[in-house]
Amino acid sequence: MVAEDPGQVSRGRSRAQAQDRNSQPADQVGGEGAWRQGDSLHAEAMSTGAFTHFVFVDFENVPNIELARVAGRPVHVTLLLGKNQRNLEVSLVQSIHRLAAQVELVEVGATGHNALDLTLAFYLGQAVERAAAAQFFIVSKDKDFDPLVGHLERENIHVGRYDSFAAL
């Protein structure tokens, strides 16, 4: 699929879009509309603790993230750290603490080819199982995720891979 945004590598459709061919296109996966699908949905999601967007960050190859972008939005971030990543910037640790309800830190306990990627795919699969109608974002420069994104697209799961957190 051709990316509409230079930071976006691949993108799927939501289940609702796939089932309703007459519906309007959903907001772009990136940009303001991706985080907030209308004020009422945003308010409802935050009051119930429900997340409508799930972001999975491969911190081994995308170490620059700005968690403040998700504050107060119905977004959950899973930040996956490789086994050899032992030092985090103080500002990132402070953001993780401030947004503890929205950010999950996963330390991948193994090294080796694709160890972090397979762990990310596991957490993505769990999120899809729990909230299939949500939007899913993989933040990684690793193109090995593209077959997974393609498979999920064929299953009408709304998912995309982005080269940077800023591209969301």
Side-chain angles (χ1 to χ4, degrees):
M1 180 173 269
V2 176
E4 296 176 0
D5 181 291
Q8 180 183 352
V9 179
S10 58
R11 176 181 143 199
R13 297 175 306 188
S14 70
R15 280 187 198 272
Q17 284 177 306
Q19 292 170 353
D20 182 8
R21 294 181 185 264
N22 296 323
S23 69
Q24 295 292 323
D27 288 344
Q28 294 279 332
V29 174
E32 179 68 16
W35 299 128
R36 191 186 68 174
Q37 299 288 313
D39 291 336
S40 62
L41 177 59
H42 175 71
E44 178 184 325
M46 292 311 292
S47 67
T48 63
F51 296 110
T52 58
H53 299 75
F54 294 83
V55 179
F56 300 87
V57 180
D58 177 349
F59 198 72
E60 279 185 326
N61 70 37
V62 182
N64 298 318
I65 61 171
E66 183 58 46
L67 290 175
R69 295 187 67 212
V70 304
R73 297 173 188 242
V75 179
H76 184 270
V77 177
T78 302
L79 182 61
L80 293 105
L81 302 175
K83 184 174 183 177
N84 296 323
Q85 291 180 288
R86 293 287 176 219
N87 299 313
L88 298 175
E89 291 182 21
V90 172
S91 61
L92 176 60
V93 173
Q94 290 170 336
S95 292
I96 292 169
H97 282 289
R98 197 170 37 257
L99 300 170
Q102 289 181 262
V103 179
E104 178 180 7
L105 189 62
V106 176
E107 296 177 75
V108 177
T111 59
H113 185 65
N114 290 331
L116 190 139
D117 300 355
L118 292 171
T119 305
L120 188 151
F122 169 78
Y123 281 94
L124 172 61
Q126 282 189 321
V128 168
E129 183 68 25
R130 285 190 310 264
Q135 294 183 27
F136 304 93
F137 306 83
I138 299 171
V139 179
S140 178
K141 294 177 184 173
D142 191 341
K143 294 180 181 180
D144 288 344
F145 287 110
D146 291 348
L148 174 61
V149 169
H151 174 75
L152 292 172
E153 287 175 345
R154 288 186 295 279
E155 296 295 319
N156 298 315
I157 303 297
H158 193 89
V159 62
R161 181 178 67 80
Y162 294 81
D163 289 332
S164 70
F165 199 80
L168 294 176

